Amino acid sequence: LIPIKRHFQSTSTNAAEQCAASGTTKINSTDDIYNAWKDKIVYSSFIENSTLKMGYKQNKIMESKLKQLQNSNIRKACEIRPFSLAMKQLQTEEFNDLYGDEKINSENVDDSSVVQMPYKQVGLKVQKQDESMEEGNEKLFTGEWMSDYEYYDEHDQDDRSLYGTPDPSIPAAKVPCGGCGALLHCIEPNIPGYLPSQLFKGKSKEQLLTSICQRCHFLKHYNVAINVTVSADDYIGMLSAMKTKKALAILLVDILDFPCSIWPGLAEILGPQRPVIVVGNKIDLLPQDCSGYLENVRQCLTKSIIESGFSRNNLKHVSLISASTGYGVEELITKIHNVWGTRGDVYLVGCTNVGKSTLFNALLRSDLCKVQATDLIQKATASPWPGTTIRMLKFPILRPSDYRLYLRTNRLKQEQYIQRANQRLRREQSRAAKDVQHPTLLGHIGRTFENEQEESFDHFSVTQRNGGPTPILTLNEKNEKYINSKWCYDTPGVVQPDQILDLLTTEEILLTISKQMIRPRAYLLKTGMTLFVGGIGRLDFLDGPESIRVILYAAHTLPTAICSTLDAGVLYSDLLGTQLLGVPFGPSERLDKFPPLECGPDILVQGTLEKHTTVCDILLSSAGWVGINIPKHSEAVFRAWTPDKRGIYVRQPALLPNGLALRGKRIRGSLAYRIGETFKPR
């Protein structure tokens, strides 16, 4: 314990010290907690990883890596444009709860104590958009609004504003933000679409058309989420308008979080006769347990969609894609052309954080969008925060004539050979380097009809500079090219009640959501043991065989711990907020407000498959899922716990039935196996 304790004391950025610096009284330090519970903790991934890093050579390597990381952070910090005034005035609802109605003084308030809950919904109403827009003058506003710092008066600022001042006396414009679609205004900083009054006053509609709101700007350039939320009733009201329209719904589902990422009752909202294409996104983050794993994932997703209320007759196709890497997007576009064409509009629907805006950006630069409109529409703001798309963004759909489909098919055939060669190369590189980046599913989204685009504006032309036509930077829906077009809409997302992400802060969300391919973690559980997945998931093995193997699919940043079920309740209350559980963390006020873990009904699992085959998955909401492996003709009883017992499901058959083959070697004297591989060698 001496070297472990010494390692804890040398770690200056751990969650326990952050809590102590924020005034925490509940948690003393991680090492003290561990010393008090070391006889009760059967296994801890945090302790295991810390122990493996001991030794003179390993410490030297770690010190070298830390120095490199520190130097890299210093270089990145030098490149970031300063906006200290903005950060000093960034505040949230939780911060006001902690400090009451006192005026915030940036000099004596520690920014680390600010708790930001980006997924929290407060039920703000959103103004309906007026689609009628008038044509304006030829002058267009250019440049980023943040760069116009000369318009700001730093001595006359509203504490609610991140930068600039609001003016409630000026009515909202009928112009949507180019990033999120919310109507632009300067009334209230906490309402979507806010622009400071210094940049909103006196601007024409054409000038506002090229602007993005304050929230989108900070999401796009600084990765800072301003706490702006809207009511779920507004989202549902927008989708309900589709019932009377002839339109195709593209339902996006997070492949790592279903059925929790499927809004309950969505089939009824869209209408009983609605044609639907289901798209499972983030397939690149799923480990590959066998050569035909994609087909098994497709079948599991289809089964879950049907159980959610969708009719099998309405499901036109089930596609697996990665909107971020481009995998499967071209095949999805081909399916849209073949199944739907231009019979009506197309709507991207789904819960928050499933990747709708990312897919919208990919389709905007593809053969689905009219070539002339590609450069006239701003990309949607894509971020890990919910409610990013407040109103519906759209682009005109290209009419897929037979000749165009012929040209597109020829291009895809030419690119297919190159893509297969790249896949073989990445698999060989993965076997040699064991890097999760090499087996990641990648794709290329190309353009077939770029030559059809009209000649762009020449800034160096003397004729055009001396009274010639000005460049067209915005799309006019009344133009003869688009007036009869069908449109693809990026609809807002809805926070699913079964998800737990709205309970987490920004930092905790980044630790909970996987950003790279999941590497499975296998454990040997004995009867009467409990597995903790951070502080947001718990699985009790109540009865069954003497020992079984379970495999966890969750972000590698979520620590795990195993203890006796009899001690699990008290141990959880003491470990909450320390690095032994990781998430959640923060000051004592924050931890006291966090919902306690609650259990659902006991889960009976029967062994019906061969040895080393996962029988079913027990989902722990957005924290991940646990694959259960029990012998054939045997039974086991489990009990699952999540905050407010959200998102506890049993998925059978399992998503990755051969996942146990990905496990690493057994750690000597431990219940855990080493971190598994991301794919099974052929």
Side-chain angles (χ1 to χ4, degrees):
L1 295 179
I2 295 177
I4 296 178
K5 184 174 182 179
R6 192 174 300 159
H7 173 74
F8 290 158
Q9 293 174 345
S10 64
T11 306
S12 59
T13 59
N14 59 56
E17 292 183 354
Q18 291 178 358
C19 296
S22 306
T24 301
T25 58
K26 182 178 179 179
I27 302 170
N28 297 323
S29 61
T30 303
D31 53 332
D32 293 339
I33 296 294
Y34 175 73
N35 288 333
W37 285 95
K38 61 183 179 182
D39 296 333
K40 302 293 185 181
I41 299 177
V42 181
Y43 170 81
S44 170
S45 63
F46 176 75
I47 300 299
E48 185 69 35
N49 294 335
S50 302
T51 306
L52 292 176
K53 293 177 181 178
M54 292 298 127
Y56 179 81
K57 183 176 180 180
Q58 289 293 337
N59 280 332
K60 288 297 181 182
I61 294 175
M62 291 302 298
E63 290 176 3
S64 176
K65 290 183 177 180
L66 289 175
K67 286 183 178 180
Q68 293 178 4
L69 180 61
Q70 185 178 9
N71 294 334
S72 175
N73 292 337
I74 293 175
R75 288 193 297 269
K76 291 180 180 179
C78 295
E79 298 173 357
I80 298 177
R81 291 181 291 179
F83 55 108
S84 58
L85 180 61
M87 292 304 295
K88 288 178 182 178
Q89 299 207 4
L90 180 62
Q91 57 175 306
T92 61
E93 226 177 68
E94 286 71 21
F95 187 88
N96 293 331
D97 291 339
L98 296 180
Y99 292 90
D101 296 330
E102 298 178 2
K103 187 175 181 180
I104 296 177
N105 186 351
S106 59
E107 296 180 357
N108 54 27
V109 176
D110 184 10
D111 288 341
S112 62
S113 63
V114 178
V115 178
Q116 188 183 23
M117 305 287 291
Y119 276 78
K120 189 174 181 180
Q121 301 290 305
V122 296
L124 295 177
K125 293 295 181 181
V126 181
Q127 192 174 359
K128 299 301 180 181
Q129 180 178 0
D130 186 1
E131 297 182 355
S132 61
M133 300 180 63
E134 301 177 359
E135 298 185 9
N137 53 42
E138 298 178 353
K139 292 185 178 180
L140 293 173
F141 176 73
T142 58
E144 299 173 358
W145 64 266
M146 189 66 180
S147 63
D148 297 336
Y149 56 88
E150 65 269 16
Y151 294 109
Y152 293 105
D153 183 6
E154 296 183 358
H155 301 286
D156 183 21
Q157 293 237 352
D158 190 296
D159 288 339
R160 301 167 298 167
S161 176
L162 189 65
Y163 210 98
T165 54
D167 190 347
S169 63
I170 300 178
K174 296 182 179 180
V175 178
C177 167
C180 65
L183 299 181
L184 295 175
H185 66 90
C186 65
I187 300 174
E188 170 61 44
N190 291 329
I191 298 178
Y194 170 77
L195 267 177
S197 60
Q198 291 85 347
L199 297 176
F200 184 83
K201 293 179 181 179
K203 296 295 188 299
S204 64
K205 290 186 177 180
E206 287 70 28
Q207 289 173 324
L208 292 176
L209 279 171
T210 58
S211 302
I212 59 176
C213 67
Q214 181 189 68
R215 181 172 184 258
C216 288
H217 177 85
F218 278 88
L219 281 170
K220 183 176 182 180
H221 295 283
Y222 301 102
N223 201 30
V224 174
I226 304 174
N227 196 14
V228 180
T229 53
V230 296
S231 172
D233 296 335
D234 292 322
Y235 290 112
I236 298 176
M238 295 176 188
L239 296 182
S240 299
M242 291 178 56
K243 285 187 176 181
T244 59
K245 294 183 179 180
K246 185 178 182 180
L248 171 70
I250 299 180
L251 173 59
L252 265 75
V253 179
D254 187 350
I255 210 68
L256 303 180
D257 193 21
F258 77 91
C260 294
S261 59
I262 304 174
W263 178 256
L266 183 61
E268 183 179 353
I269 296 173
L270 297 178
Q273 304 300 325
R274 177 72 53 206
V276 177
I277 292 181
V278 179
V279 177
N281 192 22
K282 305 182 183 180
I283 190 63
D284 59 310
L285 303 180
L286 200 65
Q288 307 168 16
D289 65 330
C290 63
S291 58
Y293 79 105
L294 288 178
E295 184 57 33
N296 185 72
V297 172
R298 183 178 285 106
Q299 293 178 3
C300 288
L301 179 58
T302 304
K303 181 175 181 291
S304 181
I305 291 294
I306 295 175
E307 292 176 350
S308 300
F310 287 88
S311 172
R312 185 182 294 272
N313 296 330
N314 294 342
L315 298 182
K316 303 303 179 182
H317 182 64
V318 177
S319 178
L320 302 177
I321 71 165
S322 171
S324 59
T325 67
Y327 177 83
V329 176
E330 288 284 16
E331 289 76 5
L332 173 62
I333 296 172
T334 301
K335 204 65 183 180
I336 295 174
H337 284 157
N338 296 336
V339 170
W340 189 247
T342 54
R343 297 189 183 96
D345 296 331
V346 176
Y347 288 82
L348 304 181
V349 299
C351 291
T352 184
N353 198 34
V354 297
K356 295 188 303 299
S357 294
T358 305
L359 180 60
F360 179 86
N361 293 336
L363 297 178
L364 181 61
R365 300 291 184 256
S366 72
D367 289 340
L368 192 65
C369 177
K370 283 192 174 182
V371 180
Q372 297 87 349
T374 299
D375 297 327
L376 302 180
I377 300 176
Q378 295 189 49
K379 285 187 177 181
T381 301
S383 74
W385 289 277
T388 302
T389 304
I390 305 302
R391 305 210 60 83
M392 296 185 185
L393 305 177
K394 61 181 180 179
F395 64 78
I397 299 175
L398 181 69
R399 180 176 174 272
S401 62
D402 293 340
Y403 180 67
R404 284 172 174 165
L405 293 179
Y406 170 76
L407 295 178
R408 171 177 166 78
T409 302
N410 288 340
R411 178 181 66 83
L412 294 179
K413 288 181 178 179
Q414 294 175 2
E415 295 176 352
Q416 191 175 26
Y417 174 77
I418 300 177
Q419 293 179 3
R420 289 180 177 176
N422 290 334
Q423 290 178 2
R424 290 193 298 267
L425 177 61
R426 290 196 304 272
R427 183 169 288 274
E428 293 175 359
Q429 291 174 337
S430 179
R431 290 194 182 99
K434 295 183 178 181
D435 190 346
V436 295
Q437 296 180 354
H438 295 310
T440 302
L441 299 176
L442 301 177
H444 173 70
I445 304 174
R447 298 296 303 273
T448 308
F449 317 112
E450 289 182 338
N451 295 332
E452 294 184 5
Q453 190 169 5
E454 295 180 355
E455 186 176 353
S456 60
F457 177 80
D458 185 3
H459 294 272
F460 297 95
S461 172
V462 178
T463 304
Q464 291 177 339
R465 284 189 299 171
N466 296 332
T470 57
I472 300 176
L473 301 180
T474 58
L475 187 145
N476 182 10
E477 299 180 23
K478 296 182 180 179
N479 189 292
E480 59 181 4
K481 298 179 182 178
Y482 312 113
I483 192 170
N484 295 321
S485 297
K486 304 303 180 182
W487 299 81
C488 178
Y489 292 89
D490 174 24
T491 66
V494 187
V495 178
Q496 225 275 29
D498 282 336
Q499 294 177 318
I500 61 174
L501 296 181
D502 60 321
L503 304 175
L504 306 179
T505 64
T506 302
E507 295 78 9
E508 293 164 352
I509 291 172
L510 297 177
L511 295 176
T512 304
I513 297 178
S514 298
K515 295 300 180 184
Q516 61 181 8
M517 186 179 292
I518 294 178
R519 301 186 66 179
R521 290 177 279 180
Y523 302 97
L524 185 68
L525 285 187
K526 297 182 180 180
T527 307
M529 284 188 174
T530 293
L531 170 66
F532 282 103
V533 183
I536 53 180
R538 167 182 165 183
L539 183 65
D540 299 342
F541 180 25
L542 301 180
D543 191 16
E546 183 179 354
S547 63
I548 62 171
R549 291 188 181 96
V550 297
I551 184 165
L552 172 66
Y553 300 91
H556 70 281
T557 49
L558 275 179
T560 58
I562 299 177
C563 66
S564 171
T565 303
L566 298 177
D567 302 323
V570 181
L571 183 142
Y572 174 80
S573 62
D574 283 358
L575 297 188
L576 189 66
T578 68
Q579 283 188 305
L580 294 171
L581 292 182
V583 177
F585 63 86
S588 57
E589 293 86 351
R590 155 84 178 121
L591 298 178
D592 292 340
K593 293 180 179 179
F594 193 79
L597 296 183
E598 298 182 13
C599 64
D602 291 352
I603 301 171
L604 175 63
V605 178
Q606 297 179 342
T608 58
L609 302 176
E610 299 298 331
K611 189 178 181 181
H612 302 312
T613 302
T614 303
V615 177
C616 67
D617 296 330
I618 299 179
L619 278 73
L620 303 175
S621 188
S622 305
W625 71 93
V626 180
I628 306 300
N629 295 265
I630 61 175
K632 195 173 183 179
H633 306 302
S634 61
E635 294 182 348
V637 181
F638 298 89
R639 183 177 296 161
W641 305 64
T642 58
D644 292 336
K645 58 182 178 183
R646 298 189 186 184
I648 299 176
Y649 291 96
V650 177
R651 186 167 54 202
Q652 194 170 11
L655 188 65
L656 299 173
N658 301 308
L660 196 61
L662 301 175
R663 72 185 187 278
K665 294 182 179 180
R666 175 85 175 272
I667 299 176
R668 181 178 299 179
S670 173
L671 296 177
Y673 294 79
R674 299 198 182 277
I675 299 297
E677 303 296 334
T678 56
F679 74 98
K680 183 178 180 181
R682 295 179 181 177

